[in-house]
Amino acid sequence: MTSRPSPGLTLAAWLGAAFLHIPLLLIILYAFTSEDRTYTFPPPGLTLRWFGVAFARTDMWDALWLSVRVACLATLLALLLGSLAAAAMSRSHFRGKDAFSLLITLPIALPGIVTGIALLTTIKRVGLEPGTLTIILGHATFCIVTVYNNVVARLRRISPSQIEASSDLGARPLQTFRYVLLPHLATALLAGGLLSFALSFDEVIVTTFTAGSQQTLPIWMFGELFKPRDRPVTNVVAILVMLVTLLPILLTQRLSSGGDYMHGGGKSS
Amino acid sequence: MSVPVTVSRHRFGRGALITLLLLAPPLLWLGVVYLGSLLGLLQYGFYSIDDFTAQVVQQFTWATFASLFSTPSNLDVIIRTLLMSVAVTLACAVIAFPIARYVALLRGRSKAVWVVLVTLPLWASYLVRVYAWRLILAQEGVLSWVLAKLHLTSLLDAALSLPVLGGPSLSSSYLGMFLVFVYVWLPYMILPIQAALERVPASLVQASADLGARPFQTFWRVIFPLSLPGVAAGSIFTFSLTLGDYIIPGVVGAPGYFIGQMVYTQQGTAGNLPLAAAFSVVPIVIVMLYLALARRLGAFDAL
């Protein structure tokens, strides 16, 4: 479209952006407040004290470390399964193709609580102990679609003639994969992987069901929301969480500035 | 689960074998682990709980599902959640539309900046954003302060005295909960609408103007109908996410339970897994119906 945004539209967009961002700025402000009992606004004074208190909390570091490990492993699994699914879908037609694509979408289309309780039922039935392994299994389930969406979109844009040319020139399938397909897919895989990392790192609803007594960072934060030991510490950790999830996203944005990054990155819980 | 693979070109040839090999791991994972779990959950919905021993009775019965609709408090939970999901979806669509349209009109660098502006909050952690609203809605919090400065406290009091929506404070009212839901899911609505708007051919808008339509007419008769797949796609997220959320109603809001909270408490503290299972089938059915409807509106092409 060539038309320019009207003043009214511009104003509405800016108001919308303010609505989206002011709460985040407040979080940052409250991490420095010297008032630790209430949410008084404006804060009576500012201090750096809470950063020290937060960094000294070993339970916070344990939770952060668990979240990082879980997110890495869930992302690896999702990368494998998601790209296999994408490769299968990009091949010629097979019966049940529509049903399969619905099946991939289902874990993000259904509310997290359904996925969570369903997985918990199975975990109990099979006799597994809820813990790190089951958190990873749960996260991988809904991360598959993120990788899948990114890779499938990329595969659609690769012309089959390139693959054919490669094999016509005598490349074995593995060579074609290594030298033609993989370079094309690299940024899509990276984007899908980073999104899945952020998704897993932030997930709380499915995790509450599959975690047993383990605490990922969001679970830890959830606990702090109701029984805070030092209220402003939650804000400090909130900033930390924002940084950990935002950096990969901004990186993804840079990597694929074609505007087609983040396919179906949507879903939080 | 059987895997009927027929490749159109060479039936049972190498192509089919490769497709099968590629398909098998994700299909096994999603089909066995995920779908199997969903079916296992469904099965629990057909069990019941013994009132005296509090043990699950593994005998087929419709009673648990029936109690969703025959027990007024259960029905209330379902209706309350549905109404909230619809309200949140509508509000998100209305607020998202101008932002999406604005971003779709931009080009170059400013567009890139706005795309980041819109997506950033989405990735700034769900819990953090919910928590931010606790700060804002608290009685001594930001919103009361701003309204007091603007001499609008009476407006807040009027809103809080509304029969169902209001409450003792914003952080313990449906109005507050509604605000938080809209805030948290808004980006999920902006992105698909923006994607749909970007696919509206400029020539159509020009043609409409050339044929003498005023800007509003062009918007209403051309741009808006073409954006509907995006709205439908966005609404899948806002609707489904509201339907199952149990954290926002727990952190902010009135005492009445939502479906997500019901599922959570029934499987946990109440120890009534059959009722939890029956409750969780409600969002499954609604989302399935919704997906079917959205598919008709072309939502899947806009995702």
Side-chain angles (χ1 to χ4, degrees):
Chain A
M1 277 172 281
T2 47
S3 48
R4 305 275 316 147
S6 68
L9 189 64
T10 309
L11 179 69
W14 278 98
L15 284 177
F19 176 59
L20 283 175
H21 287 271
I22 287 173
L24 299 179
L25 297 177
L26 284 171
I27 283 281
I28 297 173
L29 174 70
Y30 272 98
F32 297 95
T33 182
S34 55
E35 163 68 55
D36 64 342
R37 294 260 163 264
T38 65
Y39 301 118
T40 311
F41 187 87
L46 299 175
T47 169
L48 281 171
R49 201 183 131 218
W50 304 115
F51 284 81
V53 178
F55 291 145
R57 291 271 296 263
T58 49
D59 55 337
M60 189 275 286
W61 287 112
D62 290 344
L64 174 69
W65 176 229
L66 178 66
S67 277
V68 170
R69 275 183 302 160
V70 164
C72 286
L73 289 169
T75 300
L76 275 180
L77 264 172
L79 275 173
L80 181 71
L81 294 170
S83 13
L84 283 176
M89 288 301 273
S90 74
R91 295 179 63 82
S92 35
H93 301 284
F94 55 90
R95 245 190 299 155
K97 195 170 174 173
D98 280 345
F100 185 61
S101 79
L102 178 69
L103 185 61
I104 297 173
T105 329
L106 218 49
I108 54 156
L110 288 181
I113 191 142
V114 174
T115 308
I117 189 177
L119 289 174
L120 178 65
T121 319
T122 305
I123 290 167
K124 282 188 176 160
R125 204 171 278 197
V126 183
L128 271 174
E129 190 61 43
T132 312
L133 176 72
T134 52
I135 306 177
I136 296 169
L137 297 185
H139 285 198
T141 304
F142 61 76
C143 284
I144 293 176
V145 67
T146 314
V147 175
Y148 167 81
N149 280 340
N150 276 279
V151 176
V152 104
R154 186 63 54 88
L155 282 174
R156 265 190 216 130
R157 287 190 308 166
I158 297 177
S159 144
S161 58
Q162 289 192 11
I163 314 273
E164 280 161 26
S166 167
S167 47
D168 284 352
L169 291 167
R172 275 168 288 124
L174 214 59
Q175 286 178 314
T176 305
F177 177 76
R178 169 75 187 80
Y179 294 105
V180 181
L181 210 50
L182 208 55
H184 270 300
L185 291 180
T187 50
L189 286 169
L190 197 59
L194 286 171
L195 286 172
S196 148
F197 181 92
L199 213 57
S200 161
F201 192 80
D202 189 31
E203 157 52 53
V204 54
I205 293 190
V206 177
T207 320
T208 38
F209 288 93
T210 55
S213 58
Q214 297 281 10
Q215 277 199 327
T216 60
L217 199 59
I219 302 265
W220 180 89
M221 269 197 71
F222 192 48
E224 289 292 304
L225 280 182
F226 288 104
K227 277 184 233 136
R229 256 211 264 158
D230 287 299
R231 202 166 250 173
V233 164
T234 319
N235 297 287
V236 175
V237 176
I239 295 178
L240 197 69
V241 173
M242 276 198 257
L243 286 177
V244 176
T245 33
L246 286 186
L247 290 180
I249 300 307
L250 290 175
L251 199 64
T252 322
Q253 181 90 347
R254 272 196 86 90
L255 282 173
S256 44
S257 45
D260 67 334
Y261 84 109
M262 209 186 93
H263 286 277
K267 186 209 178 286
S268 91
S269 338
Chain B
M1 193 173 198
S2 68
V3 191
V5 177
T6 16
V7 170
S8 55
R9 272 182 298 171
H10 359 252
R11 187 174 270 260
F12 303 119
R14 248 183 84 184
L17 186 66
I18 294 175
T19 310
L20 183 65
L21 284 176
L22 291 170
L23 201 58
L27 189 64
L28 280 175
W29 184 286
L30 290 166
V32 176
V33 177
Y34 187 66
L35 210 57
S37 297
L38 285 181
L39 291 175
L41 179 67
L42 185 69
Q43 189 187 355
Y44 265 98
F46 289 109
Y47 293 160
S48 61
I49 195 116
D50 188 308
D51 286 334
F52 295 104
T53 59
Q55 293 294 311
V56 174
V57 183
Q58 301 207 347
Q59 220 165 24
F60 180 87
T61 171
W62 281 101
T64 308
F65 275 112
S67 74
L68 290 183
F69 302 99
S70 57
T71 312
S73 61
N74 288 348
L75 193 59
D76 278 354
V77 171
I78 295 173
I79 293 172
R80 185 180 299 126
T81 314
L82 269 178
L83 287 179
M84 182 60 89
S85 305
V86 171
V88 168
T89 298
L90 287 176
C92 279
V94 170
I95 302 175
F97 209 97
I99 309 176
R101 170 96 174 118
Y102 181 75
V103 180
L105 286 177
L106 293 175
R107 287 288 167 270
R109 216 185 140 65
S110 52
K111 180 185 194 100
V113 171
W114 269 86
V115 169
V116 173
L117 268 183
V118 169
T119 18
L120 262 179
L122 194 60
W123 295 108
S125 177
Y126 160 81
L127 268 182
V128 171
R129 291 182 297 146
V130 175
Y131 176 63
W133 280 87
R134 228 174 130 124
L135 307 175
I136 296 170
L137 298 178
Q139 228 145 23
E140 72 279 23
V142 184
L143 201 63
S144 322
W145 182 82
V146 172
L147 289 174
K149 286 279 166 201
L150 296 170
H151 303 290
L152 288 174
T153 308
S154 54
L155 194 73
L156 177 65
D157 291 340
L160 286 177
S161 62
L162 289 172
V164 179
L165 302 175
S169 73
L170 266 180
S171 53
S172 49
S173 68
Y174 288 123
L175 207 59
M177 194 195 294
F178 168 78
L179 265 174
V180 182
F181 270 130
V182 170
Y183 172 76
V184 172
W185 309 142
L186 186 59
Y188 291 102
M189 186 63 100
I190 301 176
L191 294 172
I193 298 184
Q194 183 207 327
L197 284 174
E198 266 162 17
R199 267 175 262 172
V200 175
S203 55
L204 273 185
V205 178
Q206 277 164 3
S208 168
D210 288 348
L211 291 168
R214 276 167 287 125
F216 181 75
Q217 285 178 313
T218 303
F219 171 77
W220 188 242
R221 312 275 299 260
V222 181
I223 299 171
F224 181 70
L226 287 172
S227 74
L228 279 179
V231 178
S235 72
I236 296 174
F237 289 117
T238 58
F239 189 78
S240 164
L241 289 167
T242 313
L243 211 52
D245 199 289
Y246 74 92
I247 288 175
I248 294 174
V251 174
V252 185
Y257 265 32
F258 277 63
I259 291 179
Q261 288 171 294
M262 210 58 190
V263 173
Y264 187 72
T265 349
Q266 289 302 331
Q267 68 82 34
T269 39
N272 191 344
L273 194 55
L275 188 59
F279 257 109
S280 59
V281 171
V282 176
I284 297 181
V285 170
I286 295 173
V287 168
M288 288 302 210
L289 291 175
Y290 205 87
L291 284 178
L293 185 76
R295 189 181 277 262
R296 287 197 161 191
L297 286 169
F300 290 93
D301 311 319
L303 275 176

